[in-house]
Amino acid sequence: VSDIFNHAIRSVSKDGRVRTIAGGPDRKGHQDGPAETARFASPHGVGTSADGRIAVAEAEGHTLRLLTPDAGTPGGYVVSTAAGTPGKSGGSDGPARQALFNSPHAALWGADGSLYTPDIGNATIRRVRNGVVETVTGSASDKMVYPMDIAWMPDGRMIIADAGANLLRTWRRGEPLATLRVQGTLATPHGVASGPDGTVYVADMKSQRVLAIDTTGRIATIAGVEGEAGGDGSHLNRPAAVLVHAGWLWIADLDNHRICAVAIER
C-alpha cells in the first residue's frame, strides 16, 4: 500500500496486520538507501514484481522508486530511484535518470521486466526498459485526459482508468489506443484491476462504488452505494484503488483511510 499522506510504503495482511516497510510521516523527502532511513514524497501507487521488488510511483517527487529485497539491510529492502529527477517535472524520454515525469500515479510490471506508469500530467503511459524511458501511448492521435491506473488483462492488453474522460481505455503494443465498451457510464474511474476470467474491477470514485465489468460490458456493483459516501460496512468514501489477489478484491477506501477486502466468487 502507498500511504500518501504518511509518505510511506506499508503492507497489510488479510488478518489486519499492518507493517511500515519504508518512509514515514516524519520523513517526507527524497532519500535512497536502507528502507529504515529512506524518504518519499506522496507515493501514489505500488507494483510488485515476481522476484519481490516493489516499484513505487512517487507523484510529488516525479520519480519511480524501487524497493529491492535485501535481508542484510536494515528494514529488509534497499531503496533506489529507478527513473526521473527528484522534484523536477517534465515529459522528456531518454536515459532513465535523465528522463522527466509529471506526477506518475501507478506502477505496473511487464512480463519482460519493463516498468509502466500512467503519467498524469503528461496524459501518457510511460515505460522504463533497460534503463531507458519511452512514451508508449498518449500521443496526439491517442489522447487521454487523466490516466490514473493501469493493469494487465488476461489477453495481454493493458486496461487504463482514464479518470478525466470517465472512460476505460485498452492498449497493446503495436495497436492504437481503444476504448472499452461498457453498458452504462462511469464517474471518475480512479483505480482498475483485472480478474483471471477477464472481469474488470473499477474504483469508481465519484459514484462511491467499486464496479465489476464482465466481458460483455455489463456493470455490477461489488461494494458501496451509488452516490452515497459513508464509513460503515455498506458504504465507501472515494474508493481510489483496487487489487485482485488470491480470490479477494482489495479496495483502498481513500477518505475512510482504510483497506477493505471482498471475496470474489469463483
Side-chain angles (χ1 to χ4, degrees), residues 13-87:
S13 64
K14 184 62 183 58
D15 62 6
R17 288 176 297 166
V18 177
R19 179 171 75 94
T20 297
I21 298 173
D26 57 343
R27 287 190 305 201
K28 180 182 179 181
H30 184 98
Q31 182 172 316
D32 290 335
E36 69 172 10
T37 58
R39 294 175 180 263
F40 296 84
S42 300
H44 268 68
V46 296
T48 304
S49 69
D51 61 7
R53 290 176 296 162
I54 303 171
V56 179
E58 189 178 37
E60 187 175 340
H62 308 295
T63 60
L64 296 176
R65 311 285 294 282
L66 198 62
L67 282 71
T68 302
D70 185 346
T73 298
Y77 289 87
V78 173
V79 178
S80 60
T81 300
T85 301

Side-chain angles (χ1 to χ4, degrees), residues 175-264:
E175 298 179 6
L177 191 71
T179 298
L180 188 72
R181 293 186 178 181
V182 300
Q183 299 176 25
T185 58
L186 302 175
T188 313
H190 195 278
V192 67
S194 180
D197 62 351
T199 299
V200 173
Y201 298 92
V202 181
D204 201 40
M205 182 177 279
K206 193 172 182 179
S207 78
Q208 307 292 352
R209 296 179 297 164
V210 171
L211 308 173
I213 302 173
D214 67 17
T215 54
T216 70
R218 184 169 57 92
I219 298 175
T221 299
I222 296 295
V225 178
E226 184 173 8
E228 296 182 11
D232 58 24
S234 300
H235 292 79
L236 301 170
N237 195 344
R238 297 182 70 221
V242 284
L243 170 70
V244 174
H245 179 68
W248 289 84
L249 178 67
W250 296 75
I251 303 166
D253 191 10
L254 184 65
D255 279 1
N256 281 320
H257 309 288
R258 67 182 180 181
I259 302 296
C260 306
V262 179
I264 302 174

